[in-house]
Amino acid sequence: MTMNTPITIAYGDGIGPEIMAATMKILTAAHAAIAPEIIEVGEKLYLKGFSSGIPDNAWESLKRTKVLLKGPITTPQGGGYKSLNVTLRKTLGLFANVRPCTAYTPFIQTNHPKMDLVIVRENEEGTYSGIEHQQTDEVYQCLKLVTRPGCERIVHYAFEYARKFNRKKVTCLTKDNIMKMTDGIFHKVFDEIAKEYPEIKTEHFIIDIGTALVADEPERFDVIVTANLYGDIISDVAAQIAGSVGLAGSANVGNHVAMFEAIHGSAPDIAGKKIANPSGLLNAAIQMLVHINQPETATLIENAWLRTLEEGIHTADIYSTEHSKKKANTDEFADAVIARLGQKPTHFKPVQYAHNVRAKIECYGDRKKTMSKKELVGVDIFIDNPHYTPDELGKKLEKISKELQLIVITSRGLKIWPNCMIDSPYANHCSCRFQASTDLKNLKPITHQHIIELLNQFDQLGLDVIKTENLYTFDGNVGFSLAQGQ
């Protein structure tokens, strides 16, 4: 007797209840071996005072089932509301966002009929950590935090996904020509892990030209792995040029829990009209079935869905006079898919999922075992400086410490002292770098007491210190970006 797999279901807001009802109807008709647990999340919960849109009993269900199929939700306007998706990703450790982007020519119009790629996006780190500060009246900061284990997890996942789904190439996209440390470690880890998969081709592009190529030549890509912000952007670019954002499903996967959803929003303007396309959520449900190791049911539903598309049964968002035979509402589209269960497409290549494809991809980012020798060699002291020119500030700071030397003053990464080459330097927000020596090949270690004494001197001068960053070497390698001219 087949055991039903418990899954948590959230109907969501806007069109969510309609497309979830249609999706569940198809899953039931296909005899998916699931035991749904319904939770309520989203707008109603936000308005009841849950700042992340999710109540405690919902967390209990997620921890029990470890699988969530979620409809789109609406976040109320105004401050004080946290993103439910970001909360779920971070709390549940959903480090990988997986978005297949496929062309369905000619039934869905696209200029790229051979497009068939998968974007694997890091889901927890980078600028999406959401750590921001206003430092002065004019200057704002967003911290981009990247870890080696986080890079290892997502890159390993991308290669495992490629291997198990018989993909031939993995492409890495970064901006390590500029962000040499944060994006640099992502690229470095990619090159390290690629050696463990000799049968898979690899390549790397800088994110700007990589995005341009995704938009112009998407058929050249197979699996793309990239950081959080970049992946968010190119995922929508890829979905749009594939023909319709409304068809795409998304998986957010961790080692123990996974969440599946459509990539589109809650579309409150058409809620209740029964005209929404359930395909995005249905494709997410198909990913879910593969994940919980029910490949036969996933195959049955996707082939029926493809057969429905090629027979011209289309919802209003993809309807065309050339390729559509019937404009179906949400329920009629679901019924059409159900009527074709057991049939295979004739125009599209039939799909066939295998057992244990995704269920056993677990990546922990635990490759590095030895700790580097870490030495404190300097400090960057950031100040709010509304009063002094760079030269005036340099003169004040040159001799305030016997042990540490003022090396350089920068503003937004540009040197403004000494020997500034900028006509009108912005000096209201400065970083003042102090080290015990100027020779980068022979940096002398300092103590935290040196920094404390230095900060006392800043205070005595009436300078507003807004942030400090300690400068370290790791096994003798400089662990900080160099100031211009160093």
Side-chain angles (χ1 to χ4, degrees):
M1 181 178 178
T2 302
M3 294 291 293
N4 288 340
T5 300
I7 64 169
T8 302
I9 301 290
Y11 277 72
D13 304 313
I15 61 172
E18 300 161 55
I19 61 175
M20 183 63 79
T23 298
M24 293 301 294
K25 187 177 182 180
I26 294 169
L27 291 173
T28 300
H31 303 293
I34 58 176
E37 296 184 8
I38 311 299
I39 62 171
E40 188 174 15
V41 299
E43 188 173 30
K44 291 180 180 178
L45 278 301
Y46 280 117
L47 298 177
K48 288 180 180 179
F50 294 92
S51 62
S52 297
I54 180 168
D56 292 343
N57 65 328
W59 287 116
E60 293 169 5
S61 176
L62 290 172
K63 290 177 181 178
R64 184 167 53 253
T65 69
K66 303 188 186 312
V67 179
L68 171 63
L69 180 62
K70 183 179 74 67
I73 63 127
T74 300
T75 303
Q77 295 294 314
Y81 300 111
K82 299 177 182 178
S83 166
L84 174 60
N85 270 10
V86 173
T87 299
L88 289 168
R89 290 167 185 168
K90 290 186 175 183
T91 305
L92 301 174
L94 309 181
F95 64 85
N97 179 264
V98 184
R99 284 199 189 181
C101 296
T102 306
Y104 299 104
T105 307
F107 308 100
I108 310 299
Q109 179 58 42
T110 176
N111 294 324
H112 305 283
K114 295 183 179 180
M115 178 178 179
D116 180 16
L117 62 88
V118 177
I119 296 168
V120 178
R121 162 194 169 196
E122 200 289 318
N123 227 7
E124 295 182 295
E125 299 188 340
T127 53
Y128 278 50
S129 298
I131 304 172
E132 297 184 294
H133 307 91
Q134 181 175 354
Q135 296 184 321
T136 75
D137 190 54
E138 300 176 332
V139 177
Y140 301 79
Q141 170 184 272
C142 176
L143 291 181
K144 177 174 179 174
L145 298 177
V146 175
T147 68
R148 171 178 267 274
C151 296
E152 290 175 352
R153 279 197 305 267
I154 194 65
V155 172
H156 184 196
Y157 187 94
F159 277 99
E160 282 295 301
Y161 183 99
R163 175 178 281 175
K164 292 194 173 189
F165 282 89
N166 198 31
R167 297 276 179 165
K168 306 301 182 185
K169 182 172 71 172
V170 178
T171 303
C172 176
L173 301 181
T174 72
K175 189 66 176 175
D176 63 341
N177 59 330
I178 303 297
M179 287 166 278
K180 299 180 185 296
M181 304 188 81
T182 50
D183 283 28
I185 188 62
F186 196 102
H187 189 178
K188 182 179 180 180
V189 166
F190 176 81
D191 288 342
E192 291 173 359
I193 293 178
K195 295 175 183 177
E196 301 174 20
Y197 298 84
E199 77 279 14
I200 298 174
K201 296 179 181 178
T202 62
E203 63 183 1
H204 171 268
F205 289 110
I206 299 300
I207 185 62
D208 38 13
I209 186 59
T211 304
L213 290 172
V214 168
D216 189 51
E217 303 176 43
E219 48 279 326
R220 69 177 292 159
F221 296 101
D222 199 350
V223 174
I224 295 174
V225 63
T226 192
N228 206 334
L229 177 61
Y230 310 147
D232 195 6
I233 294 169
I234 65 167
S235 292
D236 280 359
V237 171
Q240 181 66 25
I241 64 174
S244 175
V245 173
L247 301 185
S250 165
N252 295 272
V253 182
N255 289 322
H256 305 293
V257 184
M259 173 177 70
F260 302 87
E261 61 185 346
I263 71 170
H264 59 71
S266 59
D269 56 319
I270 61 170
K273 298 181 180 180
K274 288 293 184 82
I275 60 173
N277 190 342
S279 294
L281 188 59
L282 181 63
N283 277 315
I286 291 168
Q287 289 181 280
M288 179 194 72
L289 290 170
V290 174
H291 178 81
I292 62 176
N293 209 19
Q294 296 186 26
E296 295 89 354
T297 310
T299 299
L300 182 73
I301 293 174
E302 186 165 348
N303 280 331
W305 178 75
L306 291 171
R307 184 66 179 259
T308 303
L309 283 188
E310 66 183 26
E311 290 190 1
I313 314 300
H314 299 157
T315 49
D317 58 313
I318 59 173
Y319 184 88
S320 73
T321 54
E322 183 177 2
H323 297 292
S324 302
K325 295 179 181 178
K326 178 181 179 180
K327 184 181 291 186
N329 65 26
T330 308
D331 294 336
E332 290 170 340
F333 185 83
D335 289 339
V337 173
I338 291 169
R340 288 160 179 78
L341 290 172
Q343 300 180 29
K344 293 183 178 180
T346 56
H347 172 81
F348 298 115
K349 181 181 178 180
V351 298
Q352 182 64 56
Y353 292 109
H355 276 275
N356 295 318
V357 172
R358 184 180 293 157
K360 293 185 178 180
I361 299 181
E362 293 188 8
C363 312
Y364 291 93
D366 55 358
R367 293 166 183 268
K368 191 174 182 180
K369 301 298 183 183
T370 59
M371 296 293 291
S372 303
K373 181 183 178 182
K374 178 182 175 183
E375 286 191 316
L376 178 64
V377 296
V379 64
D380 284 341
I381 299 178
F382 293 78
I383 63 171
D384 186 351
N385 175 48
H387 302 301
Y388 302 109
T389 67
D391 285 339
E392 290 171 341
L393 185 61
K395 289 178 181 178
K396 279 184 171 292
L397 298 178
E398 271 188 292
K399 299 179 180 180
I400 64 171
S401 173
K402 293 181 180 179
E403 292 83 7
L404 302 181
Q405 301 177 50
L406 177 64
I407 305 298
V408 69
I409 302 175
T410 62
S411 176
R412 298 173 298 173
L414 295 174
K415 183 178 74 169
I416 61 174
W417 183 94
N419 305 317
C420 179
M421 303 300 292
I422 305 170
D423 289 339
S424 300
Y426 183 83
N428 289 12
H429 179 277
C430 300
S431 172
C432 309
R433 174 164 293 181
F434 290 84
Q435 296 168 188
S437 61
T438 58
D439 184 2
L440 287 172
K441 295 182 180 179
N442 188 30
L443 289 169
K444 297 178 182 178
I446 69 170
T447 68
H448 289 91
Q449 186 61 38
H450 288 134
I451 298 175
I452 293 171
E453 292 170 358
L454 196 60
L455 291 173
N456 284 331
Q457 292 294 316
F458 271 72
D459 185 54
Q460 291 177 22
L461 290 172
L463 297 172
D464 181 16
V465 175
I466 53 179
K467 172 187 166 81
T468 63
E469 283 288 348
N470 292 352
L471 308 180
Y472 294 98
T473 59
F474 295 84
D475 290 337
N477 298 313
V478 172
F480 48 91
S481 58
L482 299 182
Q484 189 180 58
Q486 269 195 288

